[in-house]
Amino acid sequence: MDRLLRIFTTVVEKENLTRAAEKLFITQSAVSQNIRLLEEKFNTKLLERNNKSVKLTKTGEILYFHARQIINQYSLAERLIDEMQNGISGPLNIGSGFTFGEYLLPDLISQLITEYPKITPKITIKNSYRIANQVKQKDLDIGIIEREISDDSIITIPFSEDDMVVIVPVDFSNNNGEEVSIGDLSDKTWIIRESGSGTRQVTDIMMDHTKLKPASVLEFGSTQLIKETVKKGIGVSYVSKSTVQEEIQKGTLKSVDIKNYRDTRRFYYVINKLQPSTKTVEVFIKMLLQ
Protein backbone atom coordinates (compact mmCIF):
# COMPACT_ATOMS: atom_id res chain seq x y z
CA MET A 1 0.00 0.00 0.00
CA ASP A 2 2.89 2.36 0.81
CA ARG A 3 4.27 1.91 -2.73
CA LEU A 4 0.85 2.48 -4.32
CA LEU A 5 0.35 5.70 -2.37
CA ARG A 6 3.81 7.00 -3.31
CA ILE A 7 3.14 6.33 -6.99
CA PHE A 8 -0.29 7.98 -6.74
CA THR A 9 1.00 11.14 -5.03
CA THR A 10 3.87 11.43 -7.52
CA VAL A 11 1.43 11.27 -10.44
CA VAL A 12 -0.72 13.97 -8.82
CA GLU A 13 2.26 16.25 -8.14
CA LYS A 14 3.83 15.76 -11.59
CA GLU A 15 0.39 16.08 -13.26
CA ASN A 16 1.52 13.60 -15.90
CA LEU A 17 2.07 9.83 -16.05
CA THR A 18 5.27 10.08 -18.09
CA ARG A 19 6.92 12.61 -15.77
CA ALA A 20 5.88 10.54 -12.74
CA ALA A 21 7.40 7.40 -14.32
CA GLU A 22 10.67 9.26 -14.94
CA LYS A 23 10.85 10.44 -11.33
CA LEU A 24 10.08 6.95 -9.99
CA PHE A 25 12.43 5.19 -12.46
CA ILE A 26 9.69 2.82 -13.64
CA THR A 27 7.77 2.49 -16.90
CA GLN A 28 4.63 4.46 -17.70
CA SER A 29 2.71 1.21 -18.03
CA ALA A 30 3.79 0.25 -14.50
CA VAL A 31 2.51 3.59 -13.23
CA SER A 32 -0.84 3.05 -14.96
CA GLN A 33 -1.11 -0.49 -13.58
CA ASN A 34 -0.48 0.66 -10.02
CA ILE A 35 -3.04 3.45 -10.31
CA ARG A 36 -5.60 0.86 -11.54
CA LEU A 37 -4.79 -1.35 -8.53
CA LEU A 38 -5.41 1.59 -6.21
CA GLU A 39 -8.71 2.42 -7.92
CA GLU A 40 -9.77 -1.22 -7.61
CA LYS A 41 -8.78 -1.18 -3.94
CA PHE A 42 -11.07 1.78 -3.20
CA ASN A 43 -13.63 0.91 -5.89
CA THR A 44 -13.59 4.44 -7.29
CA LYS A 45 -12.03 6.48 -10.06
CA LEU A 46 -9.23 8.60 -8.62
CA LEU A 47 -7.92 10.43 -11.69
CA GLU A 48 -9.35 11.99 -14.81
CA ARG A 49 -6.80 11.37 -17.58
CA ASN A 50 -6.15 12.81 -21.03
CA ASN A 51 -3.15 12.76 -23.36
CA LYS A 52 -1.32 15.59 -21.62
CA SER A 53 -2.27 15.66 -17.94
CA VAL A 54 -4.20 14.12 -15.08
CA LYS A 55 -6.69 15.72 -12.72
CA LEU A 56 -7.98 14.52 -9.36
CA THR A 57 -11.58 13.42 -8.98
CA LYS A 58 -13.42 14.31 -5.78
CA THR A 59 -12.55 10.93 -4.24
CA GLY A 60 -8.99 11.36 -5.55
CA GLU A 61 -8.71 14.65 -3.64
CA ILE A 62 -9.65 12.86 -0.41
CA LEU A 63 -7.13 10.09 -0.96
CA TYR A 64 -4.35 12.52 -1.94
CA PHE A 65 -4.80 14.58 1.23
CA HIS A 66 -4.60 11.53 3.49
CA ALA A 67 -1.88 9.84 1.41
CA ARG A 68 0.41 12.83 2.00
CA GLN A 69 -0.23 12.56 5.74
CA ILE A 70 0.49 8.82 5.75
CA ILE A 71 3.72 9.20 3.75
CA ASN A 72 4.94 12.03 5.99
CA GLN A 73 4.22 10.04 9.16
CA TYR A 74 5.93 6.97 7.71
CA SER A 75 9.04 9.03 6.89
CA LEU A 76 9.01 10.55 10.36
CA ALA A 77 8.84 7.10 11.98
CA GLU A 78 11.84 6.00 9.89
CA ARG A 79 13.83 9.01 11.03
CA LEU A 80 12.96 8.61 14.71
CA ILE A 81 14.00 4.95 14.61
CA ASP A 82 17.21 5.85 12.76
CA GLU A 83 18.05 8.52 15.36
CA MET A 84 17.52 6.03 18.18
CA GLN A 85 19.84 3.51 16.53
CA ASN A 86 22.48 5.77 14.98
CA GLY A 87 22.41 9.01 16.96
CA ILE A 88 21.67 12.41 15.42
CA SER A 89 21.60 11.73 11.71
CA GLY A 90 19.39 11.71 8.67
CA PRO A 91 17.63 14.28 6.48
CA LEU A 92 16.52 17.69 7.72
CA ASN A 93 14.13 19.61 5.47
CA ILE A 94 14.60 23.32 6.16
CA GLY A 95 12.61 26.10 4.54
CA SER A 96 13.49 29.78 4.70
CA GLY A 97 12.37 33.15 3.50
CA PHE A 98 14.65 34.86 1.00
CA THR A 99 16.45 37.31 3.28
CA PHE A 100 17.48 34.84 5.97
CA GLY A 101 17.92 32.00 3.51
CA GLU A 102 20.23 33.82 1.12
CA TYR A 103 22.27 35.92 3.54
CA LEU A 104 22.29 34.31 7.01
CA LEU A 105 21.42 30.63 6.57
CA PRO A 106 24.61 29.55 4.69
CA ASP A 107 26.84 30.12 7.75
CA LEU A 108 24.37 28.24 9.92
CA ILE A 109 24.28 25.26 7.55
CA SER A 110 28.07 25.20 7.45
CA GLN A 111 28.14 25.02 11.26
CA LEU A 112 25.45 22.30 11.27
CA ILE A 113 27.34 20.09 8.81
CA THR A 114 30.61 20.58 10.69
CA GLU A 115 29.16 19.66 14.08
CA TYR A 116 26.73 16.98 12.87
CA PRO A 117 28.18 15.43 9.68
CA LYS A 118 25.51 12.69 9.63
CA ILE A 119 22.72 15.25 9.18
CA THR A 120 21.87 15.91 5.53
CA PRO A 121 20.05 19.25 5.21
CA LYS A 122 17.81 20.02 2.26
CA ILE A 123 17.06 23.71 1.80
CA THR A 124 13.97 25.32 0.25
CA ILE A 125 13.94 29.10 -0.32
CA LYS A 126 10.55 30.74 -0.87
CA ASN A 127 8.62 33.67 0.55
CA SER A 128 7.50 33.46 4.16
CA TYR A 129 3.86 32.64 3.46
CA ARG A 130 4.74 29.68 1.24
CA ILE A 131 7.33 28.35 3.73
CA ALA A 132 4.77 28.47 6.56
CA ASN A 133 2.27 26.63 4.37
CA GLN A 134 4.79 23.86 3.60
CA VAL A 135 5.46 23.44 7.33
CA LYS A 136 1.71 23.24 7.85
CA GLN A 137 1.50 20.51 5.18
CA LYS A 138 4.45 18.67 6.84
CA ASP A 139 6.54 18.97 3.69
CA LEU A 140 9.18 20.82 5.75
CA ASP A 141 10.51 19.94 9.20
CA ILE A 142 11.13 23.57 10.15
CA GLY A 143 10.78 26.95 8.49
CA ILE A 144 12.43 30.31 9.02
CA ILE A 145 10.11 33.15 8.14
CA GLU A 146 10.32 36.93 8.13
CA ARG A 147 6.79 37.79 9.15
CA GLU A 148 4.41 36.63 11.86
CA ILE A 149 1.80 34.22 10.50
CA SER A 150 -1.16 33.14 12.61
CA ASP A 151 -2.36 29.58 12.03
CA ASP A 152 -3.67 27.01 14.51
CA SER A 153 -1.62 24.24 12.86
CA ILE A 154 1.80 25.82 13.40
CA ILE A 155 3.90 27.33 16.17
CA THR A 156 5.76 30.56 15.32
CA ILE A 157 8.59 31.66 17.63
CA PRO A 158 10.81 34.79 17.25
CA PHE A 159 14.54 34.12 17.59
CA SER A 160 16.45 37.05 16.07
CA GLU A 161 16.18 40.68 14.98
CA ASP A 162 17.55 42.77 12.12
CA ASP A 163 17.45 46.50 11.41
CA MET A 164 15.73 47.83 8.29
CA VAL A 165 17.31 50.57 6.15
CA VAL A 166 16.53 52.53 3.02
CA ILE A 167 19.05 51.79 0.26
CA VAL A 168 19.82 54.43 -2.34
CA PRO A 169 22.32 54.86 -5.20
CA VAL A 170 25.76 56.09 -4.15
CA ASP A 171 25.20 59.48 -5.81
CA PHE A 172 22.02 60.09 -3.79
CA SER A 173 22.25 63.32 -1.78
CA ASN A 174 19.97 65.07 0.69
CA ASN A 175 20.21 67.89 3.19
CA ASN A 176 20.14 65.74 6.31
CA GLY A 177 23.27 63.64 5.87
CA GLU A 178 22.57 60.06 6.90
CA GLU A 179 18.87 60.73 7.59
CA VAL A 180 16.19 61.34 4.99
CA SER A 181 12.77 62.87 5.31
CA ILE A 182 9.67 61.46 3.67
CA GLY A 183 9.82 64.41 1.29
CA ASP A 184 13.22 63.22 0.07
CA LEU A 185 11.71 59.82 -0.80
CA SER A 186 8.18 60.49 -2.05
CA ASP A 187 9.25 61.47 -5.58
CA LYS A 188 11.37 58.31 -6.02
CA THR A 189 10.56 55.03 -7.67
CA TRP A 190 10.29 52.42 -4.92
CA ILE A 191 11.41 48.89 -5.70
CA ILE A 192 9.68 46.50 -3.29
CA ARG A 193 9.32 42.77 -2.71
CA GLU A 194 6.31 40.70 -3.76
CA SER A 195 3.18 40.13 -1.69
CA GLY A 196 3.70 37.33 0.85
CA SER A 197 7.30 38.33 1.53
CA GLY A 198 8.30 39.30 5.07
CA THR A 199 10.25 42.26 3.69
CA ARG A 200 7.13 43.39 1.84
CA GLN A 201 5.13 43.26 5.05
CA VAL A 202 7.50 45.57 6.96
CA THR A 203 7.75 47.86 3.91
CA ASP A 204 3.96 48.22 3.81
CA ILE A 205 3.92 48.95 7.55
CA MET A 206 6.63 51.60 7.15
CA MET A 207 4.81 53.31 4.28
CA ASP A 208 1.55 53.29 6.19
CA HIS A 209 3.15 54.65 9.37
CA THR A 210 5.11 57.42 7.63
CA LYS A 211 2.31 58.22 5.11
CA LEU A 212 4.82 57.70 2.30
CA LYS A 213 3.19 57.67 -1.14
CA PRO A 214 5.81 56.78 -3.78
CA ALA A 215 5.72 58.37 -7.20
CA SER A 216 5.87 54.89 -8.72
CA VAL A 217 6.43 51.30 -7.57
CA LEU A 218 8.22 48.30 -9.06
CA GLU A 219 7.65 44.86 -7.52
CA PHE A 220 10.48 42.28 -7.67
CA GLY A 221 10.73 38.78 -6.21
CA SER A 222 14.44 38.92 -5.32
CA THR A 223 16.44 41.10 -2.93
CA GLN A 224 19.54 40.65 -5.11
CA LEU A 225 17.66 41.97 -8.15
CA ILE A 226 16.40 44.91 -6.08
CA LYS A 227 19.95 45.78 -4.99
CA GLU A 228 21.29 45.65 -8.55
CA THR A 229 18.44 47.87 -9.75
CA VAL A 230 19.05 50.44 -7.01
CA LYS A 231 22.77 50.45 -7.90
CA LYS A 232 21.85 51.51 -11.43
CA GLY A 233 19.95 54.51 -10.08
CA ILE A 234 16.49 53.33 -11.05
CA GLY A 235 14.98 53.73 -7.58
CA VAL A 236 15.27 53.16 -3.84
CA SER A 237 14.19 50.33 -1.56
CA TYR A 238 13.67 49.20 2.04
CA VAL A 239 15.62 46.10 3.04
CA SER A 240 17.22 44.27 5.95
CA LYS A 241 20.58 45.77 6.88
CA SER A 242 22.16 42.29 6.83
CA THR A 243 21.49 41.99 3.10
CA VAL A 244 23.51 45.07 2.10
CA GLN A 245 26.51 45.08 4.44
CA GLU A 246 28.93 43.96 1.72
CA GLU A 247 27.71 46.55 -0.81
CA ILE A 248 27.87 49.36 1.75
CA GLN A 249 31.42 48.40 2.73
CA LYS A 250 32.46 48.34 -0.94
CA GLY A 251 30.75 51.66 -1.60
CA THR A 252 28.44 50.35 -4.32
CA LEU A 253 25.28 51.19 -2.35
CA LYS A 254 24.42 53.70 0.35
CA SER A 255 22.01 53.19 3.25
CA VAL A 256 20.11 55.95 5.02
CA ASP A 257 17.66 56.10 7.91
CA ILE A 258 14.24 57.70 7.78
CA LYS A 259 14.04 60.73 10.02
CA ASN A 260 12.03 60.03 13.20
CA TYR A 261 11.41 56.41 12.19
CA ARG A 262 13.32 53.33 13.32
CA ASP A 263 12.37 49.80 12.39
CA THR A 264 13.67 46.44 13.51
CA ARG A 265 12.21 43.30 11.97
CA ARG A 266 12.06 39.89 13.56
CA PHE A 267 12.93 36.47 12.20
CA TYR A 268 10.79 33.54 13.35
CA TYR A 269 11.16 29.80 13.22
CA VAL A 270 8.01 27.83 12.58
CA ILE A 271 7.20 24.17 13.26
CA ASN A 272 4.10 22.05 12.85
CA LYS A 273 2.16 21.83 16.10
CA LEU A 274 1.20 18.19 15.51
CA GLN A 275 4.55 16.96 14.18
CA PRO A 276 6.68 15.14 16.82
CA SER A 277 10.08 16.79 17.14
CA THR A 278 13.19 14.95 15.96
CA LYS A 279 16.73 15.31 17.27
CA THR A 280 17.81 16.90 14.00
CA VAL A 281 15.19 19.63 14.39
CA GLU A 282 16.13 20.14 18.04
CA VAL A 283 19.84 20.68 17.33
CA PHE A 284 19.00 23.08 14.49
CA ILE A 285 16.71 25.13 16.76
CA LYS A 286 19.49 25.21 19.36
CA MET A 287 21.84 26.70 16.76
CA LEU A 288 19.23 29.28 15.75
CA LEU A 289 18.86 30.41 19.35
CA GLN A 290 22.62 30.71 19.79
Side-chain angles (χ1 to χ4, degrees):
M1 179 58 73
D2 174 60
R3 174 178 169 79
L4 293 179
L5 292 179
R6 288 185 184 276
I7 291 173
F8 172 67
T9 56
T10 303
V11 170
V12 173
E13 288 157 10
K14 291 298 181 180
E15 300 180 336
N16 180 279
L17 295 180
T18 302
R19 289 195 295 268
E22 290 171 353
K23 180 175 176 60
L24 295 165
F25 300 103
I26 59 177
T27 65
Q28 182 175 333
S29 61
V31 172
S32 297
Q33 183 180 3
N34 280 279
I35 295 298
R36 282 196 297 272
L37 288 173
L38 203 54
E39 289 178 329
E40 290 172 6
K41 167 71 177 176
F42 290 100
N43 193 29
T44 185
K45 191 173 184 178
L46 299 170
L47 299 171
E48 297 285 355
R49 285 168 257 188
N50 58 39
N51 292 332
K52 294 183 178 180
S53 64
V54 298
K55 184 179 179 181
L56 284 169
T57 63
K58 291 296 184 183
T59 52
E61 289 176 1
I62 294 171
L63 181 61
Y64 177 71
F65 175 81
H66 290 285
R68 289 299 309 163
Q69 302 296 314
I70 291 167
I71 290 169
N72 286 332
Q73 289 301 109
Y74 182 78
S75 297
L76 178 62
E78 283 186 318
R79 290 166 56 188
L80 290 171
I81 291 170
D82 183 67
E83 285 179 0
M84 183 173 291
Q85 293 176 331
N86 302 310
I88 301 175
S89 62
L92 176 61
N93 294 317
I94 303 167
S96 177
F98 287 96
T99 298
F100 194 94
E102 293 178 344
Y103 296 95
L104 301 173
L105 186 58
D107 287 342
L108 200 62
I109 296 302
S110 176
Q111 179 188 351
L112 178 71
I113 292 172
T114 300
E115 295 186 20
Y116 299 94
K118 291 184 178 180
I119 293 178
T120 52
K122 179 181 177 182
I123 311 301
T124 298
I125 306 294
K126 295 179 179 178
N127 72 39
S128 294
Y129 179 81
R130 294 175 68 187
I131 290 297
N133 190 56
Q134 284 195 259
V135 172
K136 179 180 177 179
Q137 299 299 326
K138 300 182 182 178
D139 293 328
L140 293 171
D141 300 314
I142 184 168
I144 301 167
I145 59 177
E146 300 155 10
R147 57 178 294 182
E148 194 165 10
I149 294 175
S150 178
D151 191 298
D152 291 340
S153 301
I154 59 178
I155 301 172
T156 305
I157 300 173
F159 70 90
S160 183
E161 293 183 341
D162 188 26
D163 291 334
M164 299 294 295
V165 293
V166 177
I167 55 170
V168 297
V170 291
D171 61 356
F172 178 89
S173 61
N174 64 292
N175 297 325
N176 299 317
E178 295 306 310
E179 284 193 338
V180 292
S181 68
I182 295 305
D184 295 322
L185 300 171
S186 59
D187 63 341
K188 307 298 180 186
T189 295
W190 275 78
I191 308 164
I192 62 176
R193 285 290 304 277
E194 80 286 1
S195 181
S197 158
T199 301
R200 172 62 177 271
Q201 184 186 44
V202 294
T203 300
D204 288 343
I205 292 171
M206 178 275 290
M207 289 184 174
D208 183 65
H209 187 274
T210 61
K211 311 300 182 188
L212 173 63
K213 298 187 183 302
S216 61
V217 172
L218 298 175
E219 187 176 298
F220 292 169
S222 162
T223 299
Q224 188 62 37
L225 180 58
I226 288 174
K227 291 193 296 182
E228 294 302 320
T229 308
V230 173
K231 284 180 187 178
K232 296 182 184 302
I234 294 172
V236 302
S237 190
Y238 195 56
V239 299
S240 284
K241 195 171 185 178
S242 60
T243 67
V244 290
Q245 289 179 340
E246 182 177 347
E247 287 83 0
I248 291 170
Q249 289 173 356
K250 290 180 178 179
T252 58
L253 274 176
K254 188 159 73 173
S255 71
V256 292
D257 296 320
I258 300 173
K259 189 176 182 180
N260 299 323
Y261 186 81
R262 294 291 180 272
D263 193 8
T264 299
R265 75 186 306 183
R266 285 182 167 184
F267 294 121
Y268 305 81
Y269 72 82
V270 56
I271 54 177
N272 191 295
K273 189 179 291 186
L274 301 178
Q275 183 91 321
S277 181
T278 64
K279 291 293 183 183
T280 53
V281 171
E282 290 173 4
V283 298
F284 183 69
I285 290 174
K286 184 176 179 180
M287 286 184 175
L288 284 177
L289 297 178
Q290 290 174 346

